[in-house]
Amino acid sequence: TGEQLVLSTGIMTWLGIAVIFNSLVLVTNAIMQAHGDVNTPVRNMIIGGVVKVALNYFLVGIPALNIVGAAMGTVVCYALITALNVISMVRHKLAKPRTFLAVLRPGLAAVLMGACAWMANGVLSAFLPQKLACVGAIGAAGIVYVILVLALRVITYDDCMLLPGGQKIAKILRISG
């Protein structure tokens, strides 16, 4: 129904934002664990979980918010954990990542892939059923992403060495250490 659509749109909007913070939590947890700090990420997750439970209790109880309050609590939870992780990383002076390599190049590849998917769907929708156009757009976007990852040198020699047969992969991709 229209009412359910409006409700689910609100929930999905908030959960879409939560995905961003959830991804940042995963990355910052991995960075801290890679530097030998396994306790801080767990502590920060517990703090975030307690805040989420408390917020859900209060926000869901507000009639104007109802179940959307739970999604809002999820955003606050993951944003808080991200902030606590970043503060912990700054305090412990963990090695700074090479921003361009670690964020900008993969981000550029992702944005261009998204644009490719959008354009391919627009073109394919003109002469194919929507489901086939969507599958075609996803395939085109995947191919473009692989090409961009290789062209922008997103994958490093160290990344290759983490894989079985890393030497061969690095040689095929012409990546040197």
Side-chain angles (χ1 to χ4, degrees):
T1 65
E3 184 179 315
Q4 290 172 330
L5 182 62
V6 169
L7 178 64
S8 62
T9 300
I11 293 169
M12 294 306 290
T13 300
W14 282 99
L15 291 178
I17 297 166
V19 166
I20 296 167
F21 287 111
N22 184 29
S23 298
L24 292 171
V25 166
L26 294 173
V27 170
T28 54
N29 281 351
I31 290 170
M32 287 191 288
Q33 290 169 356
H35 282 86
D37 185 359
V38 295
N39 294 327
T40 303
V42 173
R43 183 197 72 221
N44 292 344
M45 294 285 282
I46 291 170
I47 293 169
V50 168
V51 168
K52 179 178 175 23
V53 169
L55 275 176
N56 282 359
Y57 179 78
F58 290 109
L59 293 177
V60 170
I62 299 172
L65 295 177
N66 202 344
I67 194 68
V68 176
M72 291 175 171
T74 301
V75 171
V76 173
C77 164
Y78 285 119
L80 175 64
I81 296 168
T82 300
L84 291 172
N85 283 352
V86 169
I87 290 167
S88 297
M89 291 168 60
V90 168
R91 258 193 211 146
H92 292 97
K93 296 180 179 156
L94 299 180
K96 293 182 182 176
R98 297 178 302 190
T99 304
F100 184 72
L101 185 63
V103 176
L104 296 178
R105 287 199 275 187
L108 177 61
V111 166
L112 292 174
M113 177 204 61
C116 170
W118 180 73
M119 289 187 296
N121 188 56
V123 170
L124 294 173
S125 292
F127 58 91
L128 288 176
Q130 184 57 43
K131 288 182 182 179
L132 285 177
C134 181
V135 170
I138 291 170
I143 292 167
V144 166
Y145 187 72
V146 168
I147 291 169
L148 288 170
V149 162
L150 296 174
L152 295 173
R153 299 282 182 201
V154 172
I155 300 172
T156 65
Y157 182 79
D158 292 334
D159 294 334
C160 289
M161 292 303 106
L162 294 173
L163 300 170
Q167 292 264 338
K168 284 184 178 182
I169 294 170
K171 187 174 180 178
I172 290 169
L173 298 177
R174 295 187 179 126
I175 299 172
S176 59

